[in-house]
Amino acid sequence: MKNFQLLLIALIFQFSLQAQIDGSDLWFSESSLNSQNYLLKPKSVVVSDAEGRITLASNELLHGLNRLFKTSIKTKHKVSKESVWLSLSVNSDIRELIDPKELDELGSDGFIIKYIDEKKSVLITGNTEIAVLYGVFHYLRSLQTIQVNKDDLNIIEIPKYKIRILNHWDNLDGSVERGYAGRSIWRWNELPEKISPRYHEYAKVNASIGINGTVLNNVNANPQILSTEYLQKVNAIAKVLRPYGIKVYLSVNFASPAVLGGLENASPKNEQVKEWWKEKVKEIYDLIPDFGGFLVKANSEGQPGPMDYGCTHADGANLLADALQPYGGIVMWRAFVYNPKGNDRARQAYEEFYPLDGQFRQNVMIQVKNGPVDFQPREPFSPLFGAMKTTQLMPELQITQEYLGFSDHLVYLGTLYQEFLQSDTYADGEGATVARVTEGSISNDHLSGIAGVANIGLDNNWCGHHFAQANWYVFGRLAWNPDLDVEMIADEWTRQTLTQDDKAVDAIVKVMMNSREATVNYMTPLGLHHLMGWDHHYGPEPWCEIEGARPDWLPTYYHKADSLGIGFNRSSSGSNAVEQYQAPLISMFDNVSTCPEKYLLWFHHVPWNYQMKSGLTLWNQLCLKYQQGVDEVRRSQEMWNTMEPFIDEKRFAEVEQKIAIQLKEAIWWKDACLLYFQTFSNQPFPKGVEKPIYKLDELKKQKFNLKHHN
Ligand code: BDP
């Protein structure tokens, strides 16, 4: 009987442990703790700070260490051997140990982690509480992901971008535009009275990867967000995020003075409008003294803007910038604009913004999507980067997988971000990568920032797909330092989130690293883009024609397949979008034989029988690319099937099911695109390409069911 009871207790314990692991802990998962690994096991945490300014950092450190080493160490105030010592740099002890010049260079967010031999302790220090907190998270991460040896512990970390910000496309009714992880985490109807525990968790996990700002609401902004009622709610969120160094920003609707304020118009020329913004901004700062500023989508996709009044983007941005300036607030003005009448959507942001270079106030940044069209699986970088020499540009990356299979497909975006950030713009000769021209090291502008459109929702695991968490993680790590190796980041994430088993980690990281290329291959290889259904952006609809829809929303506008070939001619004989790049990129992209094949059909309309570098014809190469995409997903499925011993039951099964969906849909993509393009190429599929399982007529009739994704 006793044995039976014990067995029952053990089973219940096991069950409750399993039940806990559902991905809700993100990269603080209980499943991947392995205290055997660590060479450095501190006996105490020492805090030299009588005023209690680094209490949050020391609590996080204690919590993290006790969790990792399964101990219950405590805080002391005097440095003793084998401790981790936290201190602000103003402390005179620190200034004796570390060169004050080095400390000055840390700025407000940088930190030092150093083994101090004479104290036999690890010191974590920085100029501010937040810097010490970042140092704590870095230290904990190192313990869990690399073999830390005290003797070579001498880390200096200074973030490259000053503003590292998430953009939530969350609506006030709780829905999330292009969100695939459930409803919005902001529960507006309960605020300001009720504070969801998720806000605290959100603050902590973001701080752990260095994020220091968040825009709470959708760029297609509801003017109500600026009402006094909503500002109280915003303030309640700001209070929770503040201790973790996260500032709150809002997307604003340019017509707010008219819609919310009842003015006749929202023109930048109208004195009453200027006054309205000043008053509104004052109201905000009276409530939230460290409010970050505004994000604006103007004169784009039906949103109001300064051009409605014969003014420019600069007039509009400066209107808001002037109101924010006295409080240190900033404007992030989006360059995502396009006009249905233009002949090439890829040219338009540049055409509207480049002539305005130099006209924006110092506290304005222009937020530019990574590619010239719209978050496609692959695009060349936007030519605005490197072109606007006296305006601070801020990259906008998409973390939510709007065009990459939503939260159903395993796609690690680290490789996409890296490809973009390391693209050479040649703005200042060779080596002027997007990262360098935006982080400010070339132009030395005082502002710099990078934004990621969040993939966060109320789902238990926050992101819909367990692996989508890695995209949030890698965005934060690259915002801190865009030169970090994304394979290392994938390794880090896997060890903290899924497993510590070396072989399993290697296998998982390999799949992650190949996953984006696989997706490009089964969706839009060789520079193809926007083949998705025009409204849902999910499955393949390269044939899509909708009466009354804007042509530049339809796939046929982008692929231009005909009996001669396929691709958008953006060369000098076509729309000449190539001219917006700097030399030598212009001629490299312009010439079909020097254009990198991954961008071939982005820049050229190429004959079906054109000979590719492999010696294959374009048609055969295209077919084999689609097949490679499918094969890679199959490989990832095989890999995952061997992971069962290393991953907890629930997450193993959930990822297994998602990969099964991904494989089915990779085949769907391949069949749909190849069968449709075959009606133009009139050629058979080459050897090595699997026989289609779908029929074109049936695919064309099938209406994609969006409900499946909510
Ligand atoms: C497109 C999205 C749309 C967004 C828009 C934007 O489809 O939902 O509102 O971008 O960035 O990718 O403003």
Tab-separated table of all heavy atoms in Angstrom, residues 169 177-178 180 218-220 297 300-301 303 334 336 338 345 369 373-376 396 398 402-403 453 530 534-535 537 553, ligand 1:
chain	number	residue	atom	x	y	z
A	169	TRP	N	1.399	45.267	-33.273
A	169	TRP	CA	0.322	45.684	-34.169
A	169	TRP	C	-1.007	45.289	-33.513
A	169	TRP	O	-1.871	44.670	-34.106
A	169	TRP	CB	0.493	45.035	-35.541
A	169	TRP	CG	1.582	45.661	-36.388
A	169	TRP	CD1	2.384	46.718	-36.063
A	169	TRP	CD2	1.974	45.275	-37.714
A	169	TRP	NE1	3.249	47.011	-37.095
A	169	TRP	CE2	3.023	46.141	-38.120
A	169	TRP	CE3	1.543	44.285	-38.611
A	169	TRP	CZ2	3.635	46.046	-39.373
A	169	TRP	CZ3	2.156	44.184	-39.853
A	169	TRP	CH2	3.193	45.062	-40.224
A	177	GLU	N	-3.263	42.655	-35.593
A	177	GLU	CA	-3.060	42.621	-37.048
A	177	GLU	C	-1.834	41.755	-37.355
A	177	GLU	O	-0.751	41.951	-36.788
A	177	GLU	CB	-2.851	44.053	-37.561
A	177	GLU	CG	-2.603	44.087	-39.053
A	177	GLU	CD	-3.140	45.344	-39.725
A	177	GLU	OE1	-3.933	46.082	-39.104
A	177	GLU	OE2	-2.765	45.568	-40.878
A	178	ARG	N	-2.037	40.790	-38.247
A	178	ARG	CA	-0.962	39.850	-38.623
A	178	ARG	C	-0.381	39.145	-37.395
A	178	ARG	O	0.838	38.892	-37.337
A	178	ARG	CB	0.156	40.547	-39.397
A	178	ARG	CG	-0.318	41.445	-40.524
A	178	ARG	CD	-1.065	40.706	-41.592
A	178	ARG	NE	-1.562	41.613	-42.620
A	178	ARG	CZ	-2.353	41.240	-43.616
A	178	ARG	NH1	-2.765	39.984	-43.720
A	178	ARG	NH2	-2.765	42.096	-44.509
A	180	TYR	N	-0.425	35.799	-34.945
A	180	TYR	CA	-0.774	34.377	-35.088
A	180	TYR	C	-0.549	33.629	-33.785
A	180	TYR	O	-0.210	32.443	-33.781
A	180	TYR	CB	0.044	33.760	-36.237
A	180	TYR	CG	0.037	34.664	-37.456
A	180	TYR	CD1	1.172	35.387	-37.823
A	180	TYR	CD2	-1.137	34.856	-38.185
A	180	TYR	CE1	1.144	36.266	-38.901
A	180	TYR	CE2	-1.170	35.728	-39.259
A	180	TYR	CZ	-0.028	36.435	-39.607
A	180	TYR	OH	-0.068	37.307	-40.664
A	218	ASN	N	-1.220	49.166	-32.736
A	218	ASN	CA	-1.054	48.991	-34.179
A	218	ASN	C	-0.708	50.307	-34.901
A	218	ASN	O	-1.255	51.362	-34.575
A	218	ASN	CB	-2.391	48.446	-34.720
A	218	ASN	CG	-2.302	47.974	-36.156
A	218	ASN	OD1	-1.255	48.066	-36.785
A	218	ASN	ND2	-3.411	47.482	-36.675
A	219	VAL	N	0.133	50.182	-35.918
A	219	VAL	CA	0.457	51.361	-36.741
A	219	VAL	C	-0.777	51.896	-37.474
A	219	VAL	O	-0.836	53.081	-37.803
A	219	VAL	CB	1.573	51.051	-37.776
A	219	VAL	CG1	2.914	50.939	-37.087
A	219	VAL	CG2	1.254	49.800	-38.591
A	220	ASN	N	-1.724	51.011	-37.752
A	220	ASN	CA	-3.020	51.487	-38.257
A	220	ASN	C	-3.778	51.918	-37.007
A	220	ASN	O	-4.576	51.180	-36.442
A	220	ASN	CB	-3.759	50.368	-38.995
A	220	ASN	CG	-2.969	49.922	-40.221
A	220	ASN	OD1	-2.466	50.746	-40.993
A	220	ASN	ND2	-2.822	48.621	-40.393
A	297	LYS	N	2.317	55.886	-39.062
A	297	LYS	CA	2.115	55.432	-40.437
A	297	LYS	C	1.200	56.464	-41.067
A	297	LYS	O	0.058	56.622	-40.652
A	297	LYS	CB	1.448	54.059	-40.415
A	297	LYS	CG	0.960	53.565	-41.771
A	297	LYS	CD	0.452	52.120	-41.676
A	297	LYS	CE	-0.116	51.629	-42.997
A	297	LYS	NZ	-0.539	50.214	-42.925
A	300	SER	N	-0.397	56.142	-46.089
A	300	SER	CA	-0.071	54.803	-46.550
A	300	SER	C	-1.274	53.914	-46.291
A	300	SER	O	-1.837	53.958	-45.188
A	300	SER	CB	1.136	54.283	-45.762
A	300	SER	OG	1.317	52.908	-45.988
A	301	GLU	N	-1.656	53.176	-47.290
A	301	GLU	CA	-2.770	52.229	-47.174
A	301	GLU	C	-3.980	52.861	-46.486
A	301	GLU	O	-4.568	52.287	-45.568
A	301	GLU	CB	-2.323	50.966	-46.425
A	301	GLU	CG	-1.218	50.226	-47.156
A	301	GLU	CD	-0.814	48.914	-46.502
A	301	GLU	OE1	-0.853	48.816	-45.273
A	301	GLU	OE2	-0.456	47.993	-47.250
A	303	GLN	N	-4.227	55.448	-44.526
A	303	GLN	CA	-4.055	56.221	-43.285
A	303	GLN	C	-3.904	57.709	-43.615
A	303	GLN	O	-3.294	58.069	-44.617
A	303	GLN	CB	-2.807	55.749	-42.525
A	303	GLN	CG	-2.906	54.354	-41.960
A	303	GLN	CD	-4.052	54.203	-40.974
A	303	GLN	OE1	-4.307	55.076	-40.159
A	303	GLN	NE2	-4.775	53.095	-41.097
A	334	ARG	N	7.229	56.227	-40.366
A	334	ARG	CA	7.451	55.070	-41.243
A	334	ARG	C	7.563	55.451	-42.718
A	334	ARG	O	6.845	56.330	-43.201
A	334	ARG	CB	6.344	54.040	-41.056
A	334	ARG	CG	6.349	53.476	-39.652
A	334	ARG	CD	5.224	52.505	-39.460
A	334	ARG	NE	5.534	51.162	-39.896
A	334	ARG	CZ	4.752	50.440	-40.664
A	334	ARG	NH1	3.642	50.935	-41.161
A	334	ARG	NH2	5.078	49.193	-40.974
A	336	PHE	N	6.976	53.162	-44.999
A	336	PHE	CA	6.213	52.148	-45.737
A	336	PHE	C	5.046	52.825	-46.460
A	336	PHE	O	3.951	52.954	-45.941
A	336	PHE	CB	5.698	51.074	-44.765
A	336	PHE	CG	4.873	50.013	-45.441
A	336	PHE	CD1	5.463	49.090	-46.283
A	336	PHE	CD2	3.507	49.946	-45.227
A	336	PHE	CE1	4.700	48.117	-46.913
A	336	PHE	CE2	2.736	48.969	-45.852
A	336	PHE	CZ	3.335	48.062	-46.701
A	338	TYR	N	3.242	53.441	-50.501
A	338	TYR	CA	3.266	53.139	-51.937
A	338	TYR	C	1.962	53.587	-52.550
A	338	TYR	O	0.920	53.584	-51.926
A	338	TYR	CB	3.582	51.679	-52.210
A	338	TYR	CG	2.624	50.685	-51.598
A	338	TYR	CD1	1.658	50.059	-52.375
A	338	TYR	CD2	2.706	50.363	-50.249
A	338	TYR	CE1	0.795	49.142	-51.815
A	338	TYR	CE2	1.838	49.456	-49.688
A	338	TYR	CZ	0.880	48.849	-50.470
A	338	TYR	OH	0.020	47.954	-49.920
A	345	ARG	N	6.141	49.236	-57.290
A	345	ARG	CA	5.998	49.514	-55.860
A	345	ARG	C	7.356	49.573	-55.154
A	345	ARG	O	7.535	50.308	-54.185
A	345	ARG	CB	5.103	48.430	-55.251
A	345	ARG	CG	4.974	48.523	-53.777
A	345	ARG	CD	3.923	47.554	-53.287
A	345	ARG	NE	4.055	47.349	-51.862
A	345	ARG	CZ	3.372	46.450	-51.184
A	345	ARG	NH1	2.510	45.674	-51.806
A	345	ARG	NH2	3.534	46.321	-49.897
A	369	LYS	N	11.289	49.489	-43.615
A	369	LYS	CA	11.279	48.014	-43.637
A	369	LYS	C	12.548	47.505	-44.303
A	369	LYS	O	13.106	48.185	-45.176
A	369	LYS	CB	10.054	47.509	-44.397
A	369	LYS	CG	8.756	47.710	-43.633
A	369	LYS	CD	7.575	47.020	-44.319
A	369	LYS	CE	6.299	47.299	-43.529
A	369	LYS	NZ	5.101	46.675	-44.112
A	373	VAL	N	9.789	46.190	-50.705
A	373	VAL	CA	8.367	45.893	-50.910
A	373	VAL	C	7.678	45.642	-49.575
A	373	VAL	O	7.088	46.555	-49.001
A	373	VAL	CB	8.150	44.770	-51.948
A	373	VAL	CG1	6.704	44.288	-51.954
A	373	VAL	CG2	8.472	45.300	-53.343
A	374	ASP	N	7.776	44.439	-49.037
A	374	ASP	CA	7.021	44.210	-47.803
A	374	ASP	C	7.337	42.867	-47.147
A	374	ASP	O	6.590	41.903	-47.346
A	374	ASP	CB	5.518	44.282	-48.100
A	374	ASP	CG	4.688	44.272	-46.847
A	374	ASP	OD1	5.254	44.459	-45.764
A	374	ASP	OD2	3.471	44.086	-46.949
A	375	PHE	N	8.341	42.792	-46.334
A	375	PHE	CA	8.581	41.631	-45.473
A	375	PHE	C	8.464	40.278	-46.189
A	375	PHE	O	7.896	39.319	-45.654
A	375	PHE	CB	7.609	41.646	-44.292
A	375	PHE	CG	7.775	42.794	-43.347
A	375	PHE	CD1	6.665	43.441	-42.817
A	375	PHE	CD2	9.039	43.225	-42.958
A	375	PHE	CE1	6.811	44.495	-41.907
A	375	PHE	CE2	9.190	44.272	-42.049
A	375	PHE	CZ	8.072	44.904	-41.530
A	376	GLN	N	8.931	40.216	-47.429
A	376	GLN	CA	8.873	38.945	-48.149
A	376	GLN	C	9.902	37.962	-47.589
A	376	GLN	O	10.854	38.379	-46.922
A	376	GLN	CB	9.161	39.201	-49.631
A	376	GLN	CG	8.086	40.045	-50.301
A	376	GLN	CD	6.730	39.387	-50.183
A	376	GLN	OE1	6.514	38.295	-50.703
A	376	GLN	NE2	5.811	40.025	-49.459
A	396	GLU	N	13.201	48.370	-39.792
A	396	GLU	CA	12.023	47.699	-39.237
A	396	GLU	C	12.038	46.265	-39.752
A	396	GLU	O	11.988	46.038	-40.956
A	396	GLU	CB	10.745	48.423	-39.691
A	396	GLU	CG	9.464	47.718	-39.250
A	396	GLU	CD	8.182	48.473	-39.653
A	396	GLU	OE1	8.141	49.718	-39.573
A	396	GLU	OE2	7.222	47.802	-40.058
A	398	GLN	N	10.336	42.277	-39.402
A	398	GLN	CA	9.089	41.666	-38.950
A	398	GLN	C	9.419	40.365	-38.227
A	398	GLN	O	10.076	39.479	-38.774
A	398	GLN	CB	8.157	41.402	-40.133
A	398	GLN	CG	6.710	41.216	-39.696
A	398	GLN	CD	5.746	41.033	-40.856
A	398	GLN	OE1	6.062	40.365	-41.834
A	398	GLN	NE2	4.549	41.603	-40.759
A	402	GLU	N	4.227	37.055	-41.111
A	402	GLU	CA	3.105	37.372	-41.990
A	402	GLU	C	3.198	36.645	-43.327
A	402	GLU	O	2.199	36.152	-43.838
A	402	GLU	CB	3.057	38.892	-42.223
A	402	GLU	CG	1.991	39.301	-43.210
A	402	GLU	CD	1.928	40.804	-43.461
A	402	GLU	OE1	2.663	41.563	-42.801
A	402	GLU	OE2	1.132	41.206	-44.329
A	403	TYR	N	4.381	36.620	-43.913
A	403	TYR	CA	4.553	36.015	-45.234
A	403	TYR	C	5.356	34.718	-45.161
A	403	TYR	O	5.814	34.222	-46.169
A	403	TYR	CB	5.281	36.984	-46.167
A	403	TYR	CG	4.493	38.211	-46.563
A	403	TYR	CD1	4.650	39.414	-45.885
A	403	TYR	CD2	3.588	38.182	-47.626
A	403	TYR	CE1	3.942	40.552	-46.253
A	403	TYR	CE2	2.883	39.311	-48.007
A	403	TYR	CZ	3.059	40.493	-47.317
A	403	TYR	OH	2.359	41.621	-47.690
A	453	VAL	N	8.542	43.940	-35.524
A	453	VAL	CA	7.089	43.800	-35.370
A	453	VAL	C	6.820	42.493	-34.613
A	453	VAL	O	7.149	41.403	-35.099
A	453	VAL	CB	6.390	43.797	-36.744
A	453	VAL	CG1	4.885	43.640	-36.560
A	453	VAL	CG2	6.717	45.078	-37.509
A	530	HIS	N	5.928	37.754	-53.279
A	530	HIS	CA	4.502	38.076	-53.196
A	530	HIS	C	3.629	37.160	-54.030
A	530	HIS	O	2.740	37.624	-54.761
A	530	HIS	CB	4.287	39.533	-53.637
A	530	HIS	CG	3.409	40.282	-52.673
A	530	HIS	ND1	2.171	39.814	-52.279
A	530	HIS	CD2	3.577	41.464	-52.016
A	530	HIS	CE1	1.632	40.675	-51.428
A	530	HIS	NE2	2.463	41.671	-51.228
A	534	TRP	N	-3.718	37.440	-51.950
A	534	TRP	CA	-3.549	38.888	-51.732
A	534	TRP	C	-4.034	39.373	-50.376
A	534	TRP	O	-3.507	40.329	-49.834
A	534	TRP	CB	-4.240	39.677	-52.845
A	534	TRP	CG	-5.720	39.701	-52.687
A	534	TRP	CD1	-6.568	38.654	-52.888
A	534	TRP	CD2	-6.526	40.794	-52.266
A	534	TRP	NE1	-7.851	39.026	-52.623
A	534	TRP	CE2	-7.859	40.346	-52.243
A	534	TRP	CE3	-6.267	42.119	-51.918
A	534	TRP	CZ2	-8.923	41.164	-51.871
A	534	TRP	CZ3	-7.329	42.936	-51.547
A	534	TRP	CH2	-8.635	42.458	-51.525
A	535	ASP	N	-5.032	38.685	-49.787
A	535	ASP	CA	-5.561	39.212	-48.525
A	535	ASP	C	-4.996	38.487	-47.305
A	535	ASP	O	-4.701	39.104	-46.290
A	535	ASP	CB	-7.092	39.169	-48.514
A	535	ASP	CG	-7.647	37.819	-48.951
A	535	ASP	OD1	-6.855	36.961	-49.401
A	535	ASP	OD2	-8.874	37.617	-48.841
A	537	HIS	N	-2.131	36.394	-47.224
A	537	HIS	CA	-0.657	36.296	-47.212
A	537	HIS	C	-0.154	34.948	-46.715
A	537	HIS	O	0.939	34.855	-46.175
A	537	HIS	CB	-0.037	37.429	-46.367
A	537	HIS	CG	-0.280	38.779	-46.949
A	537	HIS	ND1	0.068	39.947	-46.318
A	537	HIS	CD2	-0.824	39.149	-48.136
A	537	HIS	CE1	-0.264	40.982	-47.076
A	537	HIS	NE2	-0.812	40.512	-48.176
A	553	TRP	N	-1.225	44.600	-55.257
A	553	TRP	CA	-1.441	43.620	-54.199
A	553	TRP	C	-1.507	42.209	-54.785
A	553	TRP	O	-1.621	41.249	-54.058
A	553	TRP	CB	-2.770	43.926	-53.459
A	553	TRP	CG	-2.626	44.972	-52.398
A	553	TRP	CD1	-1.464	45.473	-51.896
A	553	TRP	CD2	-3.680	45.642	-51.698
A	553	TRP	NE1	-1.729	46.412	-50.929
A	553	TRP	CE2	-3.088	46.540	-50.790
A	553	TRP	CE3	-5.078	45.587	-51.743
A	553	TRP	CZ2	-3.830	47.359	-49.937
A	553	TRP	CZ3	-5.814	46.395	-50.892
A	553	TRP	CH2	-5.197	47.279	-50.000
B	1	BDP	C1	1.690	44.945	-44.482
B	1	BDP	C2	0.590	44.294	-43.716
B	1	BDP	C3	-0.424	45.259	-43.166
B	1	BDP	C4	0.303	46.360	-42.416
B	1	BDP	C5	1.320	47.018	-43.329
B	1	BDP	C6	2.193	48.029	-42.620
B	1	BDP	O1	-0.046	43.371	-44.574
B	1	BDP	O2	-1.297	44.550	-42.348
B	1	BDP	O3	-0.596	47.306	-41.949
B	1	BDP	O4	2.198	46.060	-43.831
B	1	BDP	O5	3.340	47.691	-42.351
B	1	BDP	O6	2.734	44.031	-44.496
B	1	BDP	O7	1.777	49.128	-42.354
